Every structure is written in structure tokens, then in C-alpha cells.
Amino acid sequence: MQLRYAFRLYPEPGQRTALSRAFGCARVVYNDAVRAREDARRAGEAFPTAGLLSRKLITEAKQTPERSWLGEVSAVVLQQSLRDAETAYRNFFASLKGQRQGAKSGAPRFKSSKDTRQSIRFTANARWSITGSGRLNLPKVGAVKVKWSRTLPAQPSSVTVIKDAAGRYFASFVIDTDPAADAARMPATDHTVGIDLGLTHFAVLSDGTKIDSPRFLRRAEKKLKKAQQELSRKQKGSRNREKARLKVARAHAQVADARREFHHQLSTKLISENQGIGVEDLAVKALARTGLAKSVHDAGWTQFVAMLEYKAVRYGRTLVKIGRFEPTSQVCSACGAKDGPKPLHIREWTCAACGAVHDRDHNAAKNVKTAAGLAVTAGGAQVRPGLVLAQRDEAGSHGFPPEPRAA
């Protein structure tokens, strides 16, 4: 299984200039590839192959006065930019044919120099390395300081350098995990749990545990509002506006980092303590179109469930999603009688059939566990980690103290 480990970078002024140059060159090559494809489509011709694009847009372009500056960056960065364009078109066509799950992918668009997020990728061919002093040595950039929050468990196969909207730099390493080490780290257990996700409490477990919702966005609203007001008053194109934009971006980054850290810690705890986990397949997009939209996005249920999914695969756990139309809040977990729908303000109710008094969320968590059939699933053969694409937000330092954290 492949995972990403992200670490904060602190490039020097000259290195930031070199990285900006690499970001720009990669963007130009990507846009040239999209333009070549679009020109071929309008002319009714076959799409140019990757080899032809590589020769024309990189090798031959370096020899021209208009594109001679492409030789100032690593050729691997430019080649990977072409690969990204190929992947974007492949995903677009697969989405048109219905071969790709999830939301429909649009046609690749041109990248702008004003995009707040920039990235470049170095593979093993680029001969990047980690120096003895712990710096990341990148070709035509130099040895960049890294804030290591943990040791890498294996030799990375590639590294992606990212500059986010808040102006922070990160190095994202792709690591192949060791299934034997993962199994030893989290041995099998006979515990199972059902999870009811909500807004009053972020999660209520079938064993009665209630996990409060941190509400990171709600707590930072006052600060965000003030920063956004200051941004709106600045003249467009001015340096002060760019400073105000960075202030807003950093405030949002703090909220996102805190939420991601909370999700990582909770998901790892649940995975380590339980062999089987049941959770509802919530319609987050539909809920986000209601009056609860801000609270739903603040909770981040989709990100949390995604973490549970890949960690279950990695550590040989069983994660079962039950249908969103399962009446978990209407059925008595004691006798199984269906008592009908109830308004949201009713947090406790008594079963008319058996007289059992239920906490609404706790009862729903019990029903999630029952509907998932975890008593049967967890007792079967363990699921060993298989080949899974690298997770972008797996682990690393995202503005937090460099203390060791479980993946």
C-alpha cells in the first residue's frame, strides 16, 4: 500500500525563487500540452501522443529563444507536468464513458500564474536526495530545510513539492508500507463498533461514548470575518491586498489543519481499538444544500470516513457502510420495533413496544452496528492491505508541533 508523508519545508530566498521558476515552467508545459490537444480536436486530427508532445514541447522548445528558459529547471519536472496533462485527459474521457466513479470530471483547463496552489514532482530519475544533515536536496533548487515530524519508514519513490494558498511549502513523499509491520503495529482484536455521525456530537459510538464536535470553523468565525473584511477593503493588485489575502488564507489553513488533525487522531484510535467498524453512508452533498450547510462542512464527515477507509485497508480492519435510508433513528435497538420518524429536537424517546428508553444517537449507533452485521464480518478472515493509491493528506507536519503521531 502506498501512502504520502508530508513535511514542512523552509526554503531560503534563493530557493524560493528557484521553486517559483520551476512552478512556472511546469505550468507553461502543462498549458502547452492542453493547447496542442485542443488545436488537434478543433482541426479534427488525432490527439498527439505523449512522446510527440515531449519532443516538441520540451526537447525542441528548449532550443528556441521563446522557451529557452525551460532548461533552467529539472527536465523531470517538465516530464511529470506532461504526465499530469495525460492523466487529466484520461480521467475526463473515462468520466464521459461512465468508467470513473464519483462526480463528473470536466475537460482539462489552462493553469494560471495566479493560482494559489502550485506543485512540482520529482521522481527517482531526478536524483533528488536527503542529505546527512536532514535537508532535501532538489536538482537546480538546492538543499532545502525540512521540519521532520517523524522518520520515514522506507525509501520514498518520489517527492512532490507543494506551495499552498497560505504561502507554505511542503514536501510530500510517496512511501510503500510494509504489511508485516502494519500487522505487528495493530494486532487483531475482537471488538466491533457502530458510529453515528452528527452535529451536536461529532460521533456517538455504540458503546455509549460521545465525542464532542470541535466546530473549528465556528470557533474561528470572528477572526475569519475580520480578516475577510480587511481583504475586501484593499485595492485590487496592490501589495497590501496580497498581504491581506495571505492573512485570510493562513486563518483558513489553521482551521483545516486542526480539523485534519482531529480526524486523524480519532480515526486511528477507532481503527486500533476495533476489528470491525460500521458507519452510515451519509448524503453530504444533499445536506450541504440545507440550512445546516456550514455546520456540515465544518464537521468534515467525508474526510473522516475516507481516513477510516484507507486505514482499515492498511491495518486489516473491516469497515462496513450501511445505506443512508436505513431507519437507524426509528428502530428500537432492544426489540427491533419501528417507531416511526421523529423531529430532530427529540433527543430521547421511549419505545412503545417494549418500554425501553433510548438516547437518540446512542440507539442509532447500535442500529448501525447491527445493520452492518459486524458480528459476522469481524469474525471472518482478515482483509490484508492491498494496492491502494497514495493518500494526499496521510500524515506529516501541517503547522502542528513536531510530536510523533500515529498514521
Side-chain angles (χ1 to χ4, degrees), residues 4-8 147-151 153 170 185-186 257-258 260-266 268-269 311 314-315 393-407:
R4 286 192 180 274
Y5 281 68
F7 301 90
R8 184 78 180 269
K147 185 66 173 180
W148 299 102
S149 57
R150 64 171 66 193
T151 57
F170 295 94
R185 180 179 173 183
M186 289 190 182
D257 290 343
R260 186 186 304 110
E261 180 75 357
F262 169 72
H263 289 164
H264 268 303
Q265 292 182 354
L266 180 57
T268 300
K269 182 177 184 295
K311 292 179 183 182
R314 180 182 182 185
Y315 296 110
D393 298 327
E394 152 57 10
S397 55
H398 297 276
F400 288 90
E403 56 188 32
R405 299 191 300 275

Short mmCIF file of all heavy atoms in Angstrom, two decimals, residues 4-8 147-151 153 170 185-186 257-258 260-266 268-269 311 314-315 393-407:
data_model
loop_
_atom_site.label_atom_id
_atom_site.label_comp_id
_atom_site.label_asym_id
_atom_site.label_seq_id
_atom_site.Cartn_x
_atom_site.Cartn_y
_atom_site.Cartn_z
N ARG A 4 1.23 8.84 1.53
CA ARG A 4 2.02 10.06 1.44
C ARG A 4 2.35 10.57 2.84
O ARG A 4 1.50 10.57 3.71
CB ARG A 4 1.25 11.14 0.68
CG ARG A 4 1.18 10.89 -0.82
CD ARG A 4 0.67 12.12 -1.55
NE ARG A 4 0.59 11.91 -2.97
CZ ARG A 4 1.61 12.07 -3.82
NH1 ARG A 4 2.78 12.48 -3.34
NH2 ARG A 4 1.45 11.88 -5.09
N TYR A 5 3.59 10.98 3.00
CA TYR A 5 4.05 11.61 4.24
C TYR A 5 4.47 13.04 3.90
O TYR A 5 5.38 13.24 3.09
CB TYR A 5 5.22 10.84 4.85
CG TYR A 5 4.81 9.59 5.60
CD1 TYR A 5 4.29 8.49 4.93
CD2 TYR A 5 4.94 9.51 6.97
CE1 TYR A 5 3.90 7.34 5.61
CE2 TYR A 5 4.56 8.37 7.67
CZ TYR A 5 4.04 7.30 6.98
OH TYR A 5 3.66 6.17 7.67
N ALA A 6 3.80 14.02 4.49
CA ALA A 6 4.06 15.42 4.18
C ALA A 6 4.83 16.08 5.30
O ALA A 6 4.53 15.87 6.49
CB ALA A 6 2.76 16.17 3.93
N PHE A 7 5.82 16.90 4.94
CA PHE A 7 6.66 17.61 5.91
C PHE A 7 6.82 19.06 5.45
O PHE A 7 6.89 19.34 4.26
CB PHE A 7 8.04 16.95 6.05
CG PHE A 7 7.98 15.51 6.47
CD1 PHE A 7 7.91 14.49 5.52
CD2 PHE A 7 7.97 15.15 7.80
CE1 PHE A 7 7.86 13.16 5.90
CE2 PHE A 7 7.90 13.83 8.19
CZ PHE A 7 7.85 12.83 7.24
N ARG A 8 6.89 19.93 6.42
CA ARG A 8 7.00 21.36 6.13
C ARG A 8 8.41 21.68 5.63
O ARG A 8 9.41 21.21 6.19
CB ARG A 8 6.68 22.16 7.39
CG ARG A 8 6.66 23.66 7.21
CD ARG A 8 5.40 24.15 6.57
NE ARG A 8 5.42 25.60 6.42
CZ ARG A 8 4.94 26.44 7.32
NH1 ARG A 8 4.39 25.97 8.44
NH2 ARG A 8 4.98 27.75 7.12
N LYS A 147 11.35 20.31 8.16
CA LYS A 147 10.96 20.11 9.55
C LYS A 147 10.42 18.69 9.68
O LYS A 147 9.26 18.41 9.38
CB LYS A 147 9.87 21.12 9.94
CG LYS A 147 9.48 21.06 11.41
CD LYS A 147 10.61 21.49 12.32
CE LYS A 147 10.15 21.58 13.75
NZ LYS A 147 11.23 22.00 14.65
N TRP A 148 11.27 17.76 10.12
CA TRP A 148 10.89 16.35 10.21
C TRP A 148 10.08 16.11 11.47
O TRP A 148 10.57 16.29 12.58
CB TRP A 148 12.13 15.46 10.22
CG TRP A 148 12.97 15.58 8.97
CD1 TRP A 148 14.13 16.27 8.84
CD2 TRP A 148 12.70 15.00 7.70
NE1 TRP A 148 14.60 16.17 7.56
CE2 TRP A 148 13.76 15.38 6.83
CE3 TRP A 148 11.67 14.19 7.20
CZ2 TRP A 148 13.80 14.99 5.50
CZ3 TRP A 148 11.73 13.80 5.87
CH2 TRP A 148 12.77 14.18 5.05
N SER A 149 8.82 15.72 11.30
CA SER A 149 7.97 15.41 12.45
C SER A 149 8.01 13.92 12.78
O SER A 149 7.46 13.50 13.80
CB SER A 149 6.53 15.83 12.17
OG SER A 149 6.04 15.21 11.01
N ARG A 150 8.65 13.12 11.94
CA ARG A 150 8.79 11.68 12.14
C ARG A 150 9.83 11.17 11.16
O ARG A 150 10.22 11.88 10.23
CB ARG A 150 7.47 10.95 11.92
CG ARG A 150 6.97 11.08 10.49
CD ARG A 150 5.79 10.20 10.20
NE ARG A 150 4.66 10.64 10.97
CZ ARG A 150 3.55 9.91 11.12
NH1 ARG A 150 3.47 8.75 10.55
NH2 ARG A 150 2.55 10.35 11.83
N THR A 151 10.27 9.96 11.36
CA THR A 151 11.22 9.36 10.43
C THR A 151 10.45 8.63 9.33
O THR A 151 9.39 8.04 9.58
CB THR A 151 12.14 8.36 11.16
OG1 THR A 151 11.33 7.36 11.80
CG2 THR A 151 12.98 9.07 12.20
N PRO A 153 9.47 5.64 7.12
CA PRO A 153 9.59 4.21 7.36
C PRO A 153 10.29 3.45 6.25
O PRO A 153 10.71 2.31 6.44
CB PRO A 153 8.13 3.74 7.48
CG PRO A 153 7.36 4.74 6.69
CD PRO A 153 8.08 6.04 6.85
N PHE A 170 5.56 22.48 1.33
CA PHE A 170 5.54 21.13 1.87
C PHE A 170 6.23 20.17 0.89
O PHE A 170 6.17 20.38 -0.33
CB PHE A 170 4.11 20.64 2.12
CG PHE A 170 3.38 21.40 3.19
CD1 PHE A 170 2.55 22.47 2.87
CD2 PHE A 170 3.51 21.04 4.52
CE1 PHE A 170 1.88 23.16 3.84
CE2 PHE A 170 2.84 21.74 5.50
CZ PHE A 170 2.02 22.80 5.17
N ARG A 185 2.00 -3.68 14.28
CA ARG A 185 1.70 -2.44 14.97
C ARG A 185 0.29 -2.44 15.55
O ARG A 185 0.07 -1.91 16.65
CB ARG A 185 1.85 -1.27 13.98
CG ARG A 185 1.55 0.08 14.57
CD ARG A 185 1.75 1.16 13.53
NE ARG A 185 1.33 2.46 14.00
CZ ARG A 185 1.34 3.56 13.28
NH1 ARG A 185 1.74 3.49 12.03
NH2 ARG A 185 0.94 4.70 13.79
N MET A 186 -0.66 -3.01 14.83
CA MET A 186 -2.04 -3.08 15.31
C MET A 186 -2.54 -4.51 15.21
O MET A 186 -3.11 -4.91 14.19
CB MET A 186 -2.93 -2.14 14.49
CG MET A 186 -2.69 -0.67 14.76
SD MET A 186 -3.95 0.37 13.99
CE MET A 186 -3.34 2.00 14.43
N ASP A 257 -6.15 22.55 9.13
CA ASP A 257 -5.14 21.71 9.78
C ASP A 257 -5.65 21.13 11.08
O ASP A 257 -5.42 19.95 11.39
CB ASP A 257 -3.86 22.53 10.05
CG ASP A 257 -3.13 22.87 8.77
OD1 ASP A 257 -3.41 22.23 7.74
OD2 ASP A 257 -2.28 23.79 8.79
N ALA A 258 -6.33 21.95 11.88
CA ALA A 258 -6.87 21.47 13.15
C ALA A 258 -7.93 20.39 12.93
O ALA A 258 -7.96 19.38 13.63
CB ALA A 258 -7.46 22.63 13.94
N ARG A 260 -8.17 18.39 10.27
CA ARG A 260 -7.50 17.19 9.77
C ARG A 260 -6.79 16.43 10.89
O ARG A 260 -6.82 15.20 10.94
CB ARG A 260 -6.49 17.58 8.69
CG ARG A 260 -5.84 16.39 7.98
CD ARG A 260 -4.75 16.82 7.02
NE ARG A 260 -5.25 17.77 6.04
CZ ARG A 260 -4.91 19.05 6.00
NH1 ARG A 260 -4.09 19.55 6.92
NH2 ARG A 260 -5.39 19.85 5.07
N GLU A 261 -6.17 17.16 11.80
CA GLU A 261 -5.50 16.52 12.93
C GLU A 261 -6.50 15.78 13.81
O GLU A 261 -6.26 14.65 14.26
CB GLU A 261 -4.75 17.58 13.74
CG GLU A 261 -4.01 17.04 14.95
CD GLU A 261 -2.74 16.30 14.57
OE1 GLU A 261 -2.48 16.15 13.37
OE2 GLU A 261 -2.02 15.86 15.47
N PHE A 262 -7.64 16.41 14.06
CA PHE A 262 -8.69 15.77 14.86
C PHE A 262 -9.18 14.49 14.18
O PHE A 262 -9.35 13.45 14.84
CB PHE A 262 -9.84 16.76 15.05
CG PHE A 262 -11.09 16.15 15.62
CD1 PHE A 262 -11.15 15.76 16.95
CD2 PHE A 262 -12.21 15.96 14.82
CE1 PHE A 262 -12.30 15.19 17.47
CE2 PHE A 262 -13.36 15.40 15.34
CZ PHE A 262 -13.42 15.01 16.66
N HIS A 263 -9.41 14.55 12.89
CA HIS A 263 -9.87 13.37 12.15
C HIS A 263 -8.83 12.25 12.18
O HIS A 263 -9.18 11.07 12.32
CB HIS A 263 -10.19 13.75 10.70
CG HIS A 263 -11.43 14.58 10.56
ND1 HIS A 263 -11.73 15.29 9.41
CD2 HIS A 263 -12.45 14.82 11.42
CE1 HIS A 263 -12.89 15.91 9.58
NE2 HIS A 263 -13.33 15.65 10.79
N HIS A 264 -7.57 12.61 12.03
CA HIS A 264 -6.51 11.59 12.05
C HIS A 264 -6.44 10.89 13.41
O HIS A 264 -6.36 9.66 13.49
CB HIS A 264 -5.16 12.22 11.72
CG HIS A 264 -4.80 12.17 10.27
ND1 HIS A 264 -4.74 11.01 9.55
CD2 HIS A 264 -4.50 13.16 9.39
CE1 HIS A 264 -4.39 11.27 8.30
NE2 HIS A 264 -4.25 12.57 8.17
N GLN A 265 -6.46 11.66 14.47
CA GLN A 265 -6.35 11.07 15.80
C GLN A 265 -7.54 10.18 16.13
O GLN A 265 -7.38 9.07 16.65
CB GLN A 265 -6.20 12.18 16.84
CG GLN A 265 -4.88 12.94 16.75
CD GLN A 265 -4.74 13.99 17.82
OE1 GLN A 265 -5.67 14.25 18.59
NE2 GLN A 265 -3.57 14.60 17.91
N LEU A 266 -8.75 10.65 15.81
CA LEU A 266 -9.94 9.87 16.12
C LEU A 266 -10.02 8.62 15.25
O LEU A 266 -10.33 7.53 15.76
CB LEU A 266 -11.19 10.73 15.93
CG LEU A 266 -12.53 10.04 16.21
CD1 LEU A 266 -12.57 9.49 17.63
CD2 LEU A 266 -13.69 11.00 15.97
N THR A 268 -7.59 6.94 13.81
CA THR A 268 -6.57 5.98 14.22
C THR A 268 -6.95 5.28 15.51
O THR A 268 -6.75 4.08 15.67
CB THR A 268 -5.21 6.71 14.39
OG1 THR A 268 -4.84 7.30 13.16
CG2 THR A 268 -4.13 5.73 14.83
N LYS A 269 -7.53 6.02 16.44
CA LYS A 269 -7.97 5.42 17.70
C LYS A 269 -9.05 4.36 17.47
O LYS A 269 -9.00 3.26 18.03
CB LYS A 269 -8.49 6.52 18.64
CG LYS A 269 -8.93 6.04 20.03
CD LYS A 269 -9.34 7.22 20.89
CE LYS A 269 -9.68 6.78 22.31
NZ LYS A 269 -10.87 5.91 22.36
N LYS A 311 -7.29 3.44 6.29
CA LYS A 311 -6.63 2.87 7.46
C LYS A 311 -7.15 1.46 7.74
O LYS A 311 -6.39 0.61 8.22
CB LYS A 311 -6.82 3.77 8.67
CG LYS A 311 -6.08 5.10 8.55
CD LYS A 311 -6.28 5.99 9.75
CE LYS A 311 -5.57 7.33 9.56
NZ LYS A 311 -5.71 8.23 10.72
N ARG A 314 -5.24 -0.65 5.37
CA ARG A 314 -3.84 -0.76 5.75
C ARG A 314 -3.63 -1.72 6.92
O ARG A 314 -2.69 -2.51 6.91
CB ARG A 314 -3.30 0.63 6.11
CG ARG A 314 -1.84 0.61 6.53
CD ARG A 314 -1.34 1.99 6.92
NE ARG A 314 0.08 1.95 7.26
CZ ARG A 314 0.77 2.99 7.73
NH1 ARG A 314 0.16 4.16 7.90
NH2 ARG A 314 2.06 2.86 8.01
N TYR A 315 -4.51 -1.67 7.91
CA TYR A 315 -4.30 -2.44 9.13
C TYR A 315 -5.17 -3.69 9.21
O TYR A 315 -5.30 -4.29 10.28
CB TYR A 315 -4.53 -1.56 10.35
CG TYR A 315 -3.53 -0.42 10.45
CD1 TYR A 315 -3.94 0.90 10.25
CD2 TYR A 315 -2.19 -0.67 10.71
CE1 TYR A 315 -3.03 1.95 10.33
CE2 TYR A 315 -1.28 0.37 10.79
CZ TYR A 315 -1.70 1.67 10.59
OH TYR A 315 -0.79 2.71 10.66
N ASP A 393 -3.38 13.40 2.01
CA ASP A 393 -3.35 14.00 3.35
C ASP A 393 -3.02 12.98 4.42
O ASP A 393 -3.55 13.02 5.51
CB ASP A 393 -4.69 14.65 3.67
CG ASP A 393 -5.01 15.78 2.71
OD1 ASP A 393 -4.06 16.43 2.29
OD2 ASP A 393 -6.19 15.96 2.39
N GLU A 394 -2.15 12.02 4.11
CA GLU A 394 -1.91 10.93 5.05
C GLU A 394 -1.33 11.41 6.37
O GLU A 394 -1.91 11.24 7.42
CB GLU A 394 -1.00 9.89 4.39
CG GLU A 394 -0.13 9.08 5.31
CD GLU A 394 -0.91 8.33 6.37
OE1 GLU A 394 -2.13 8.26 6.33
OE2 GLU A 394 -0.26 7.84 7.30
N ALA A 395 -0.16 11.98 6.35
CA ALA A 395 0.49 12.30 7.61
C ALA A 395 1.53 13.38 7.39
O ALA A 395 1.88 13.71 6.28
CB ALA A 395 1.16 11.05 8.20
N GLY A 396 2.05 13.90 8.49
CA GLY A 396 3.12 14.87 8.39
C GLY A 396 2.82 16.13 9.14
O GLY A 396 1.83 16.23 9.87
N SER A 397 3.68 17.13 9.00
CA SER A 397 3.54 18.37 9.74
C SER A 397 2.72 19.35 8.92
O SER A 397 3.09 19.72 7.83
CB SER A 397 4.92 18.96 10.04
OG SER A 397 5.66 19.12 8.85
N HIS A 398 1.59 19.75 9.43
CA HIS A 398 0.73 20.72 8.78
C HIS A 398 0.53 21.91 9.71
O HIS A 398 -0.58 22.30 10.03
CB HIS A 398 -0.61 20.10 8.42
CG HIS A 398 -0.51 18.98 7.44
ND1 HIS A 398 -0.46 19.19 6.08
CD2 HIS A 398 -0.39 17.65 7.62
CE1 HIS A 398 -0.37 18.03 5.46
NE2 HIS A 398 -0.32 17.08 6.36
N GLY A 399 1.62 22.45 10.20
CA GLY A 399 1.52 23.59 11.10
C GLY A 399 1.37 23.21 12.55
O GLY A 399 1.03 24.04 13.37
N PHE A 400 1.63 21.94 12.90
CA PHE A 400 1.50 21.48 14.28
C PHE A 400 2.87 21.20 14.86
O PHE A 400 3.85 21.02 14.15
CB PHE A 400 0.64 20.22 14.35
CG PHE A 400 -0.81 20.49 14.09
CD1 PHE A 400 -1.31 20.42 12.81
CD2 PHE A 400 -1.66 20.83 15.10
CE1 PHE A 400 -2.63 20.68 12.55
CE2 PHE A 400 -2.99 21.08 14.87
CZ PHE A 400 -3.47 21.02 13.59
N PRO A 401 2.98 21.13 16.20
CA PRO A 401 4.25 20.80 16.82
C PRO A 401 4.77 19.47 16.34
O PRO A 401 3.99 18.55 16.07
CB PRO A 401 3.91 20.77 18.33
CG PRO A 401 2.70 21.62 18.45
CD PRO A 401 1.93 21.42 17.17
N PRO A 402 6.10 19.30 16.20
CA PRO A 402 6.67 18.06 15.66
C PRO A 402 6.68 16.91 16.64
O PRO A 402 7.72 16.37 16.97
CB PRO A 402 8.10 18.51 15.32
CG PRO A 402 8.42 19.58 16.31
CD PRO A 402 7.11 20.32 16.52
N GLU A 403 5.50 16.53 17.11
CA GLU A 403 5.42 15.40 18.03
C GLU A 403 4.98 14.17 17.25
O GLU A 403 4.25 14.29 16.26
CB GLU A 403 4.42 15.71 19.14
CG GLU A 403 3.03 16.07 18.64
CD GLU A 403 2.14 16.54 19.75
OE1 GLU A 403 2.65 17.14 20.69
OE2 GLU A 403 0.92 16.31 19.66
N PRO A 404 5.43 12.99 17.61
CA PRO A 404 5.06 11.80 16.85
C PRO A 404 3.56 11.53 16.91
O PRO A 404 2.94 11.66 17.95
CB PRO A 404 5.85 10.67 17.53
CG PRO A 404 6.14 11.21 18.90
CD PRO A 404 6.27 12.68 18.76
N ARG A 405 2.98 11.19 15.76
CA ARG A 405 1.56 10.91 15.69
C ARG A 405 1.36 9.64 14.91
O ARG A 405 2.09 9.32 13.98
CB ARG A 405 0.81 12.05 14.99
CG ARG A 405 0.93 13.38 15.70
CD ARG A 405 -0.03 14.37 15.10
NE ARG A 405 0.22 14.61 13.69
CZ ARG A 405 1.10 15.48 13.24
NH1 ARG A 405 1.81 16.16 14.08
NH2 ARG A 405 1.26 15.64 11.94
N ALA A 406 0.31 8.88 15.27
CA ALA A 406 0.01 7.66 14.54
C ALA A 406 -0.54 8.01 13.17
O ALA A 406 -1.21 9.02 12.98
CB ALA A 406 -1.01 6.83 15.31
N ALA A 407 -0.20 7.16 12.20
CA ALA A 407 -0.67 7.42 10.85
C ALA A 407 -2.16 7.23 10.75
O ALA A 407 -2.77 7.72 9.84
CB ALA A 407 0.04 6.50 9.87
#
